[in-house]
Amino acid sequence: MLLENLVERAPEGLEIVEVAIRDFPFFSQDDESDPPADVVAAKALIQTCDCVLLVSPEYDFGVPGFLKNAVDWLSRPFGDRTLVGRPMAVCGASTGYMGTIRGQLHWRQSWYFFKAPVFSEAELTVSFAAKAFDEERRLTSELYATNVDHFLTALNDWLVRGCTPPK
Ligand SMILES: Cc1cc2nc3c(=O)[nH]c(=O)nc-3n(C[C@H](O)[C@H](O)[C@H](O)COP(=O)(O)O)c2cc1C
């Protein structure tokens, strides 16, 4: 639902497209040289993008396994350029008080390995997610909506500047 709100509220010039990862099988290194069609398609899409935006829940104070599994597929075989050097931004929604911030820090660790710039000029955490969205799947609070807009505008500006800090 957070992703849907991000897509809807994206400022002009920033297009957010969802990468289909739902049907990725469990990663096995035995299969990495012959990946499934869904992985091949996801890689091709990401390679056309300026940035990977992770919209991630937090599981057990860390990253959710299904999304880590997807990143593992997308990063292999070693030397693949889909994620290496590709800028990343992370945000998330969770039912707890901390709104995925611990999981977000874990994601930054993986992008350290990918030698890529990571967006740090704004943070977006949606806590108490069970109450944060209404029946139309939109954010209920003005505060969250404002935070989303600030995050997206800062992200767009950062990308336009070539992932450099503001002057
Ligand atoms: C295995 C599991 C672990 C979870 N761990 C956390 C956690 O560490 N912190 C937190 O705030 N919420 C945690 N939650 C609640 C999730 O944040 C909540 O289920 C999430 O917002 C739902 O997103 P999803 O349906 O996209 O997975 C956990 C949920 C599951 C299923």
Side-chain angles (χ1 to χ4, degrees):
M1 283 191 271
L2 177 58
L3 172 58
E4 289 171 19
N5 280 261
L6 290 164
V7 169
E8 203 174 290
R9 302 184 78 91
E12 201 175 331
L14 184 70
E15 188 193 0
I16 300 173
V17 289
E18 185 174 354
V19 178
I21 59 166
R22 192 175 286 274
D23 295 325
F24 282 19
F26 283 134
F27 175 79
S28 164
Q29 199 167 8
D30 294 342
D31 304 326
E32 69 175 17
S33 57
D34 185 22
D38 284 350
V39 173
V40 175
K43 280 187 176 186
L45 175 57
I46 293 168
Q47 285 165 12
T48 67
C49 296
D50 297 326
C51 180
V52 172
L53 172 60
L54 297 173
V55 185
S56 178
E58 175 181 282
Y59 282 0
D60 301 327
F61 285 16
V63 301
F66 73 90
L67 194 49
K68 183 63 165 63
N69 183 65
V71 167
D72 294 341
W73 271 115
L74 297 168
S75 69
R76 299 299 299 182
F78 182 77
D80 186 281
R81 306 297 290 182
T82 304
L83 300 181
V84 171
R86 196 164 311 275
M88 183 275 263
V90 60
C91 62
S94 79
T95 50
Y97 173 67
M98 300 297 280
T100 73
I101 198 69
R102 290 167 296 228
Q104 291 190 25
L105 293 173
H106 284 227
W107 281 120
R108 289 171 179 270
Q109 175 79 14
S110 289
W111 254 258
Y112 180 36
F113 176 66
F114 299 142
K115 297 154 198 68
V118 176
F119 178 63
S120 298
E121 284 162 39
E123 290 180 316
L124 179 60
T125 59
V126 175
S127 48
F128 305 121
K131 292 194 173 149
F133 300 89
D134 63 19
E135 280 171 8
E136 272 85 51
R137 304 170 69 86
R138 295 215 169 78
L139 286 162
T140 49
S141 113
E142 199 56 42
L143 178 65
Y144 279 145
T146 305
N147 285 349
V148 164
D149 292 344
H150 174 67
F151 178 83
L152 290 173
T153 303
L155 175 60
N156 191 41
D157 292 349
W158 182 69
L159 291 169
V160 167
R161 286 198 308 274
C163 307
T164 57
K167 289 230 168 76

